[in-house]
């Protein structure tokens, strides 16, 4: 009777097909559009469907790309619903459905670690409302006051009369109940489903190959398009010789997609790619061909000294205090371009006709994906459909919808034919939306007592908003470049408050297209400041933890996670012979995070032995998923620290695959210890903030081991031999 | 034209000899569980077994495979009953986005077939697949759990 839901976690192999009917979350082309088509009962409300077999389907509006929020959100709904978690499954919401129902699921955007912290109130309210409607329906059937009924595990009981029924039995009647005007949410202290280390709801089909990602999608008569855009961003496609490849196996069309892109359309990916590799193409790279990593660095370095109106945080008079000070430390750091490089490269299937356009594929922003689709297709949004899918990793890449527009332009040249656009890894690497490049100069004045009296931090570099969200650039510049350095705010807040402080920014944009990369600007800001803080501590003979304690006197939550991480690594005791430690802390995406790392250097390379993370996210919805996110954040952040760098020559990105864009693998994976110290009263994200402390904690440990600071990423370019002279930069 | 033995069935595929096995599986045999991640033998997302040995199918032309060689893909791993690595992966919630996991599971099962009691160092050296979500810690734990189970089959429960 409850086999489907149970199987999805207990006997996962047998369940995959059964679960699939509910969980793919997209309708196949011939199916009637709309939700819950596979259920014999109507929904209770927008969030909850209970079928007669007691399966509870919870609707999820935010994208799932591996971060696990799908399960966390379902836990929050199920908690208020008081259903049996073992019978819970999920269904993904389509943006068209959200629009038709006046945004009942609110924002579908999934970025900025917002999935849970940005929706916990209304998803819990959705679960609580459904519970009320189910209980009211049962009570009405019995003719008893609803207030006399209790619920446990989806069974409603009327104590006085001893009657009981189930959610599945009253679900249909509940649909007709008036939705309650307000509901009382549980105190998190009373949670039994939320807050628990539940296994993911969406695992089974990842283990037997049955999960259909955007790359895997197929439908009858579908063709595959492999595009190639001008490798120099902003350059032009001049011409291509279609005749040279038209006779190759499987090739159907060679077409101009837009001013800078050509595509080969064939019956399969490999045939399209083979023809693309053979296609003679003439590009006009334009003036950007003169740009290189060196010219970009020169422009950013100029920005470090230039006048600028953009100020992110200011107290006292830092320039004056610095010029009067006796002891001033200075450093210059840099952070390179990085590609998201999710394991699933970009892919999307679009079918266009003169009156309808549909997309089957992944997106982190389903609603703007639908708008992009409609605008490109020249159709009203009501005539369009985005069939969302679970994503093979994204890390911010699919917050941008460029690839949806591209897939649509291709499909529009083959009316009625579904076309799956698939990027090669090389195309994905060249046409990414890169972590912006910045440099930073820091100057700090330390007085005789060892206290930081003045700090000036100048960031120079690329603005993501300038490229993607111009309205985000105001008279104060792109405010988001100050992530983690702001004087106040509940998302990002600098914990340090020296008496004289100036943090400012010189915007220096490049033609390399930037994007929101997991952790965004918190990554470099935390690295710059946390490494400089530790440099100053070591230079003045102070313990880096004790030095920060003084600076964080008014920031107890910042300090608490730092203390927890330091304790976890054994900061107060000596490290093993040859091992060195570093720390970092930051507040970002609503959470307080810190890391402590222990490394050793051997033969010019490092081994990261241990890394401890401490996180205060306010509330914990699923502790084992937090562990997974924190460990994953370290892998992501440390891949960048060790290897990640996209360089530019002749205007184009030089790294085209994992052989030149290396990432952390299992052999280098440190032991990770996750400490979660939820202090309650707020809701912070966990998918991103830890990335920003992993790299500086390790870099600080490396600098401690070397006895001199390393200030430029990635470490693979640095000389890590202790005796080497002069690396300072 | 290629004749291959895939998951126990003999199939004829109308393709060029130099087509990588990965694309023969995905585009012609309809088995999309084997993933494309890099195409240059770097990431391991495309790992399958050929006669029990883990191979990166993106760089293996179908023309180089004999019809007698047994190709097993993720769809064929644990046919009938889940393979111990699949069971361990489910219990430890190893997968995040899941995209790399077919390759991880194929690499892990091939490792255990050759070395039923791998040390941490063996696992770290042998599993070179890329996971951008960063599941490495649980992959390591999953292989060890599966190894324990395989050593004492009666304890499987
Ligand atoms: S796709 Fe074959 S190793 Fe990456
Ligand atoms: S689970 Fe996402 S790439 Fe490995």
């Amino acid at each position: 009777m409850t086999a489907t839901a149970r199987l999805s976690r207990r006997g996962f192999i047998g369940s995959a097909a059964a679960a699939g009917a509910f969980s793919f979350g997209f309708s196949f082309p011939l199916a009637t559009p709309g939700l819950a088509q596979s259920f014999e009962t109507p929904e209770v409300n927008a969030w909850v469907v209970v079928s007669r077999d007691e399966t509870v389907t919870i609707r999820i509006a935010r994208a799932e790309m591996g971060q696990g929020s799908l399960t966390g959100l379902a836990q929050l709904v199920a908690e208020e619903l008081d259903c049996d978690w073992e019978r819970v499954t999920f269904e993904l919401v389509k943006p068209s459905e959200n629009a038709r129902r006046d945004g009942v699921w609110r924002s579908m955007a999934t970025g900025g670690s917002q999935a849970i912290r940005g929706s916990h109130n209304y998803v819990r309210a959705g679960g609580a409302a459904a519970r009320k409607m189910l209980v009211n329906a049962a009570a009405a059937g019995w003719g008893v006051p609803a207030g006399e009924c209790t619920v446990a595990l989806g069974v409603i009981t009327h104590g006085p009369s001893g009657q009981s029924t189930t959610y599945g039995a009253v679900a249909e009647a509940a649909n007709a109940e008036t939705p309650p005007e307000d509901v009382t949410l549980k105190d998190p202290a009373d949670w039994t489903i939320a807050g628990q280390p539940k296994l993911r709801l969406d695992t089974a089909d990842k283990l037997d190959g049955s999960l259909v990602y955007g790359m895997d999608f197929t439908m009858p008569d579908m063709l595959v398009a492999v595009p190639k855009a001008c490798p120099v961003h902003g350059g032009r496609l001049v011409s291509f010789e279609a005749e040279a490849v038209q006779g190759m196996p499987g090739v159907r069309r060679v077409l101009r997609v837009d001013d800078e892109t050509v595509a080969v359309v064939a019956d399969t990916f490999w045939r399209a790619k083979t023809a693309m590799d053979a296609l003679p193409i003439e590009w006009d790279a334009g003036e950007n061909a003169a740009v290189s990593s060196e010219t970009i660095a020169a422009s950013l370095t100029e920005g470090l000294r230039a006048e600028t109106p953009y100020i992110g945080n200011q107290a006292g008079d830092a320039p004056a205090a610095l010029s009067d000070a006796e002891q001033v430390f200075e450093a210059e750091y840099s952070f390179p371009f990085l590609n998201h490089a999710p394991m699933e490269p970009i892919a999307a299937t679009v079918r266009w006709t003169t009156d309808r356009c549909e997309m089957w594929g992944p997106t982190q922003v389903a609603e703007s994906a639908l708008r992009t689709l409609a605008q490109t297709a020249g159709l009203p949004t009501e005539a369009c459909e985005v069939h969302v899918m679970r994503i093979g990793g994204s890390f911010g890449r699919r917050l941008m919808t460029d690839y949806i527009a591209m897939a649509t332009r291709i499909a529009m040249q083959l009316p009625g034919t579904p076309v799956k656009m698939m990027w090669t890894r090389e195309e994905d690497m060249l046409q990414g939306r890169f972590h912006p490049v910045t440099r930073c100069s820091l100057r700090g004045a330390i007085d005789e007592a060892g206290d930081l009296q003045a700090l000036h931090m100048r960031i120079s570099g690329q603005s993501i908003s300038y490229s993607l969200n111009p309205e985000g650039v105001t008279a104060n510049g792109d405010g988001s470049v100050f992530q983690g350095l702001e004087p106040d705010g509940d998302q990002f807040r600098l914990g340090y408050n020296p008496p004289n402080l100036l943090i400012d920014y010189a915007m220096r944009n490049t033609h390399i297209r930037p994007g929101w990369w997991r952790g965004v600007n918190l990554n470099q800001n935390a690295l710059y400041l946390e490494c400089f803080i530790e440099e100053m501590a070591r230079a003045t003979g102070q313990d880096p933890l004790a030095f920060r304690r003084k600076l964080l006197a008014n920031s107890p939550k910042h300090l608490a996670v730092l203390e927890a991480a330091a304790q976890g690594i054994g900061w107060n005791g000596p490290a093993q012979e040859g091992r060195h430690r570093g720390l970092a802390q930051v507040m970002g995406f609503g959470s307080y995070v810190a890391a402590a790392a222990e490394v050793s250097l051997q033969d010019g390379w490092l081994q990261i032995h241990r890394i401890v993370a401490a996180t205060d996210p306010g509330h914990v919805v699923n502790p084992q998923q937090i562990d997974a996110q924190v460990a994953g954040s370290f892998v992501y952040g440390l891949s960048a620290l060790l290897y990640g760098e996209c360089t530019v020559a002749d205007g184009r990105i030089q790294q085209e695959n994992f052989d030149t864009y290396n990432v952390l693998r299992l052999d280098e994976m440190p032991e990770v210890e996750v400490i979660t110290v939820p202090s309650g009263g707020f809701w912070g994200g966990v998918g991103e903030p830890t990335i920003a402390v992993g790299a500086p904690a390790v870099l600080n440990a490396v600098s401690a081991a070397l006895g001199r600071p390393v200030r430029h990423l990635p470490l693979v370019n640095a000389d890590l031999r202790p005796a080497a002279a002069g690396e300072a930069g | 034209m290629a004749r291959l033995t895939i998951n126990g069935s003999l199939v004829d595929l109308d393709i060029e000899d130099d087509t990588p096995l990965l694309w023969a599986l995905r585009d012609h045999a309809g088995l999309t569980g084997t993933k494309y991640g890099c195409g240059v033998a770097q990431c391991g997302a495309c790992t399958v077994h050929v006669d029990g040995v883990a191979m990166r199918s993106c760089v293996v032309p179908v023309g180089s495979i004999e019809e007698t060689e047994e190709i097993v893909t993720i769809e064929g791993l644990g046919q009938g009953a889940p393979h111990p690595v699949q069971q361990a992966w489910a219990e430890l919630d190893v997968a995040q986005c899941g995209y790399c996991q077919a390759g991880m599971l194929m690499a892990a099962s091939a490792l255990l077939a050759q070395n039923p009691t791998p040390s941490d160092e063996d696992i770290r050296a042998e599993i070179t697949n890329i996971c951008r979500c960063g599941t490495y810690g649980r992959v390591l734990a999953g292989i060890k759990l599966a190894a324990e189970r395989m050593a004492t089959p009666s304890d499987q429960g």
Side-chain angles (χ1 to χ4, degrees), chain B residues 22 35-46 56-58:
Chain B
L22 170 63
K35 300 302 184 212
Y36 165 67
C38 71
V40 294
Q42 278 287 321
C43 75
C46 64
R56 294 195 166 171
S57 64
C58 65

Side-chain angles (χ1 to χ4, degrees), chain A residues 343 392-393 395, chain B residues 94-101 130-135:
Chain A
M343 280 315 297
F395 315 115
Chain B
V94 172
Q96 290 193 28
C97 80
Y99 194 84
C100 73
Q101 297 296 340
I130 295 175
C131 173
R132 288 290 280 156
C133 295
T135 62

